[in-house]
Amino acid sequence: MDLRQLEHFVTVAEERHFTRASARLFISQSGLSASIRALEKELDAELFSRNTRRVELTDAGRALLQESRRTLASVLAARDAVAAVQGLLRGRLRVGTEQCLGVVDVPTEMARFHADHPGVELLVQQAGSARLIEEVSNGRLEAAFVAGPSSVSPGVRFLPLASEPMTLICSPEHPLGHRRRADWRTLAAQSYVDFAIDWGSRQVTDQAFAAAGQARHISSEVNDVHTLLDLVGHGLGVAVVPHHIAHKKAGKLNRLPLPPEAPRWDVAIALPADGTSAAAETFLAPIRRRLGA
């Protein structure tokens, strides 16, 4: 088994298709197929179930995938470490972020890093925090800015950055629009606009209502902050969002604090538990200094 075979295997697993994988790897499809067959022969296990449209991982393939990603990530980190000792910084830096965290302006930070280290290829992935944490765990991201309730995630450690309360927002015409506070039963009776289940804000809100023993109705589920604010502004539901997002349409939306026992919205950097690449450490160092993390 060699690293090239593992790279081939991971690419086919991600593409679920040999033709797309071969194009991505810039090798012939026959050469890619031969590499996968050789790997399966060495492991004495079938890694993919194949049909005319796509390929799917077998149980053995799923077991190999996560370890293969970690192995390839470790090799890249080792190369970066040697380059760093030699006074060079190169390779690839893959950073994830959830939308509108309010603590770190990731595009600006990436631009600063690129100006100082043009030899490093930068990749940014935007997704919900749960997905980003999974990507750090499997070695596909070097760091991710995430939010939500703290949890134990295998292969991931968290560097806390900030914490703030959650706030309910509604249109001024909504029945809650002129109230100063509401209890959990009243809040549970409303219709909600919320983010997809893997967003940190959604997870905190779900946790808050579950802890209060209340169920709520989500009428609209979105994947961006501006659509959520627009729907709430048009009276199509209320929403629970981090305090800084509640101020994005100041004067156009009304705000109500949640009950005091509600969980807070915590922002952190998710990092691999087994070490951080030289590029990631260099990227994160000024952020840590500014935030006192």
Side-chain angles (χ1 to χ4, degrees):
M1 185 189 309
D2 60 38
L3 294 174
R4 191 65 174 166
Q5 285 177 316
L6 292 182
E7 183 182 4
H8 292 171
F9 163 70
V10 169
T11 305
V12 174
E14 291 174 349
E15 296 293 341
R16 297 290 199 271
H17 199 278
F18 273 85
T19 301
R20 291 196 297 267
S22 63
R24 179 173 153 187
L25 291 163
F26 299 102
I27 63 173
S28 68
Q29 187 171 336
S30 60
L32 178 59
S33 297
S35 176
I36 297 298
R37 285 196 300 270
L39 182 59
E40 290 178 321
K41 182 178 180 180
E42 182 172 351
L43 295 173
D44 193 23
E46 187 176 1
L47 301 174
F48 298 103
S49 58
R50 302 161 173 85
N51 58 45
T52 55
R53 287 190 170 186
R54 59 187 298 171
V55 297
E56 298 289 346
L57 286 165
T58 63
D59 289 343
R62 282 188 287 272
L64 180 63
L65 180 58
Q66 186 168 357
E67 294 304 323
S68 296
R69 283 171 168 163
R70 287 177 177 171
T71 298
L72 293 172
S74 295
V75 170
L76 288 174
R79 290 173 177 168
D80 290 347
V82 172
V85 170
Q86 296 172 327
L88 305 172
L89 197 61
R90 62 191 182 197
R92 177 181 294 176
L93 175 61
R94 298 162 297 184
V95 175
T97 184
E98 187 167 302
Q99 279 189 42
C100 297
L101 291 178
V103 177
V104 179
D105 183 346
V106 176
T108 298
E109 297 296 344
M110 298 292 271
R112 288 172 179 163
F113 180 84
H114 178 68
D116 292 336
H117 307 285
V120 179
E121 180 185 5
L122 299 178
L123 299 174
V124 181
Q125 178 178 341
Q126 189 178 79
S129 291
R131 172 69 182 278
L132 295 174
I133 292 169
E134 180 182 343
E135 295 290 84
V136 172
S137 176
N138 65 32
R140 297 191 66 186
L141 291 175
E142 276 78 46
F145 296 91
V146 299
S150 58
S151 60
V152 177
S153 300
V156 180
R157 58 190 171 94
F158 295 93
L159 178 67
L161 294 180
S163 179
E164 64 179 271
M166 300 290 285
T167 303
L168 185 132
I169 55 174
C170 62
S171 69
E173 295 77 22
H174 191 276
L176 294 180
H178 299 289
R179 297 185 63 163
R180 299 183 65 183
R181 188 177 293 275
D183 58 28
W184 286 114
R185 182 173 296 180
T186 301
L187 294 175
Q190 310 306 315
S191 182
Y192 283 81
V193 181
D194 212 331
F195 300 111
I197 191 65
D198 64 336
W199 278 56
S201 178
R202 169 69 178 273
Q203 292 176 357
V204 173
T205 305
D206 285 349
Q207 182 189 74
F209 278 89
Q214 300 290 335
R216 65 187 178 119
H217 172 64
I218 298 174
S219 58
S220 300
E221 190 174 85
V222 301
N223 270 309
D224 72 279
V225 171
H226 299 292
T227 299
L228 179 140
L229 294 174
D230 286 342
L231 290 174
V232 172
H234 287 298
L236 298 177
V238 302
V240 176
V241 296
H243 189 66
H244 75 276
I245 290 179
H247 287 272
K248 281 186 172 291
K249 288 202 170 184
K252 296 182 179 180
L253 296 176
N254 285 19
R255 304 184 294 272
L256 281 80
L258 293 184
E261 68 274 15
R264 296 174 66 86
W265 188 75
D266 299 318
V267 179
I269 304 173
L271 299 167
D274 56 359
T276 311
S277 70
E281 284 290 348
T282 302
F283 170 68
L284 294 173
I287 299 173
R288 289 174 171 175
R289 287 195 297 270
R290 283 196 295 275
L291 296 175

